[in-house]
Amino acid sequence: MDKPRLPGGEATVVVDSAADVERMEFQLGLRRRGISNQAVLKAMDAVPREHFVAVGFADSAYADQALPIACGQTISQPYVVAYMTEQLDVGPQHRVLEIGTGSGYQAAVLSRLAHEVVSIERYRTLADAARDRIRTLGYSNVTVIVGDGLAGAPDQAPFDRIIVTAAAEEVPTGLLDQLANGGKMLLPLGPHHGTQHIVKLTKSASGEVERESLIAVRFVPLLPGRAREL
């Protein structure tokens, strides 16, 4: 069936359901807040966020707010996920290390852009659930590991991109060592109970590191070791 047309000849947008309206508003909200990278917008649209929020929060899945998940953690608000993904500048040739799998949402978004994503989670409960979601949705280029995020994955390094989704008070040198020359690392940096900022670290071809402070944020703390709670 042909789409109805406006008097000027343009096809109108046909909206089939309230869910379609919600997804359109989701995309418009990201654009209004300055997300302009088309690949990032497409990745955000492709990943069904409602599969990553806790039971009882599905109606708020596309609201621009952080939501609670298990183990006292959160799924970041969509704008922050989109912003960090855009700043990370991920391409189809890149291997990405993510510290803090959480629900698996950020890893799923990155999987639509990168060649490979390795994600480390200190809580086995979260890691297992995220792994199941990612497998069910068919994102076959994501590997979820239970481990110490501060230790990274040295046996799989170097990585072209590293993203940390919990706040560190200092730049983790062990992770920076796993960043390839020419690579980029993004993390929230600042006191756990004070002002934090997203910081971008860019490693030159010779290994020198340039640091840029970006937007203010509030993330859960980046903690060492694997959690005792399984």
Side-chain angles (χ1 to χ4, degrees), residues 18-213:
D20 290 337
V21 173
E22 185 176 49
R23 295 295 285 272
M24 287 172 60
E25 291 176 345
F26 177 70
Q27 284 283 309
L28 286 171
L30 294 176
R31 292 172 184 269
R32 289 191 187 107
R33 296 198 64 180
I35 305 302
S36 59
N37 184 294
Q38 292 302 306
V40 172
L41 288 166
K42 185 176 179 180
M44 294 290 292
D45 187 55
V47 176
R49 186 172 164 89
E50 66 272 18
H51 287 268
F52 295 86
V53 300
V55 174
F57 288 91
D59 289 346
S60 302
Y62 291 94
D64 195 28
Q65 63 188 63
L67 296 171
I69 57 174
C71 303
Q73 304 301 294
T74 60
I75 174 173
S76 297
Q77 68 186 89
Y79 170 70
V80 171
V81 173
Y83 180 84
M84 291 184 74
T85 304
E86 186 171 62
Q87 290 293 325
L88 200 61
D89 189 25
V90 180
Q93 74 278 22
H94 291 146
R95 298 179 66 246
V96 181
L97 174 65
E98 180 195 30
I99 306 302
T101 311
S103 69
Y105 180 66
Q106 175 74 80
V109 171
L110 289 167
S111 78
R112 303 300 83 202
L113 300 164
H115 174 68
E116 180 187 5
V117 179
V118 176
S119 185
I120 301 177
E121 173 55 56
R122 69 190 304 265
Y123 291 98
R124 182 175 296 278
T125 298
L126 292 177
D128 289 348
R131 192 182 297 112
D132 287 345
R133 288 187 197 101
I134 288 167
R135 183 186 301 118
T136 298
L137 291 167
Y139 303 147
S140 58
N141 60 340
V142 179
T143 301
V144 178
I145 300 169
V146 180
D148 180 356
L150 284 168
D155 57 326
Q156 300 187 55
F159 294 92
D160 305 297
R161 300 289 187 268
I162 299 177
I163 183 169
V164 182
T165 59
E169 294 186 309
E170 297 179 351
V171 174
T173 55
L175 296 179
L176 194 56
D177 289 343
Q178 294 173 42
L179 183 65
N181 288 355
K184 296 180 182 180
M185 176 174 168
L186 218 67
L187 76 159
L189 198 62
H192 292 162
H193 301 290
T195 302
Q196 303 160 1
H197 285 84
I198 299 294
V199 169
K200 183 195 297 186
L201 303 171
T202 303
K203 186 181 282 190
S204 71
S206 61
E208 297 179 353
V209 177
E210 177 183 334
R211 175 169 166 167
E212 180 182 2
S213 183

